[in-house]
Amino acid sequence: MTIQQMHNVGIVVDDLAGAVAFFKELGMELEGEGAIEGLWADQAVGLDGVRCDVAMMVTPDGHGRLELSQYHSPALIPGPRNQPHNVLGTHRVMYAVDDLDDTITRLRRHGGELVGEVAQYGDSVRLCYFRGPAGIIVGLSEYS
């Protein structure tokens, strides 16, 4: 048996509306949103009394999805937000964009900030890591 596709990456946030606005600014579209609760949710995630709101974001090509979740129950467990990228289990999501400088400018208006600097890799790629909502590291790359 093989994997058919990667369906989505899930990230827990503490401000769902703010995270949706950030990823909309990046160019993703809101595919759907709803409330999740019940025995099936408890069983799937291994927690008791799950109650959360989710928003499914999709890339313009329809192939990449990001599931943003804001837990109401059990209580959200805050974690460090500004971990460096080499911490075990640290996640990042990478996107190709058409204008890196413009994207950085627009995302800064939503509270995002560069992790390091914009780097040039070879002759064809400019890239950077950017910290977004809930400390999410978002990789951005521009191919020429």
Side-chain angles (χ1 to χ4, degrees):
M1 181 179 296
T2 61
I3 293 173
Q4 295 176 348
Q5 68 175 336
M6 181 175 171
H7 187 267
N8 71 65
V9 173
I11 299 179
V12 175
V13 299
D14 58 354
D15 175 6
L16 188 58
V20 167
F22 179 90
F23 285 102
K24 277 185 174 181
E25 188 67 47
L26 182 58
M28 297 189 82
E29 299 167 11
L30 179 62
E31 184 176 51
E33 54 190 334
I36 304 294
E37 62 183 313
L39 180 60
W40 72 271
D42 293 0
Q43 291 171 329
V45 301
L47 296 170
D48 292 324
V50 169
R51 224 175 27 84
C52 70
D53 294 323
V54 298
M56 186 67 73
M57 307 297 295
V58 63
T59 55
D61 66 2
H63 296 292
R65 287 179 174 74
L66 186 65
E67 181 182 279
L68 303 170
S69 302
Q70 182 176 357
Y71 276 80
H72 304 291
S73 172
L76 186 65
I77 300 171
R81 293 189 177 231
N82 293 316
Q83 298 183 82
H85 190 258
N86 62 337
V87 172
L88 285 175
T90 298
H91 54 268
R92 72 119 170 95
V93 181
M94 179 70 101
Y95 296 97
V97 299
D98 58 3
D99 185 333
L100 185 60
D101 297 321
D102 177 63
T103 302
I104 289 169
T105 299
R106 289 184 296 108
L107 293 180
R108 280 187 168 142
R109 292 192 292 253
H110 291 271
E113 59 186 40
L114 278 171
V115 172
E117 301 175 31
V118 174
Q120 180 73 41
Y121 179 75
D123 294 332
S124 60
V125 182
R126 292 177 66 221
L127 59 104
C128 66
Y129 280 5
F130 203 79
R131 196 169 304 279
I136 301 166
I137 297 176
V138 177
L140 302 171
S141 60
E142 174 187 303
Y143 293 82
S144 55

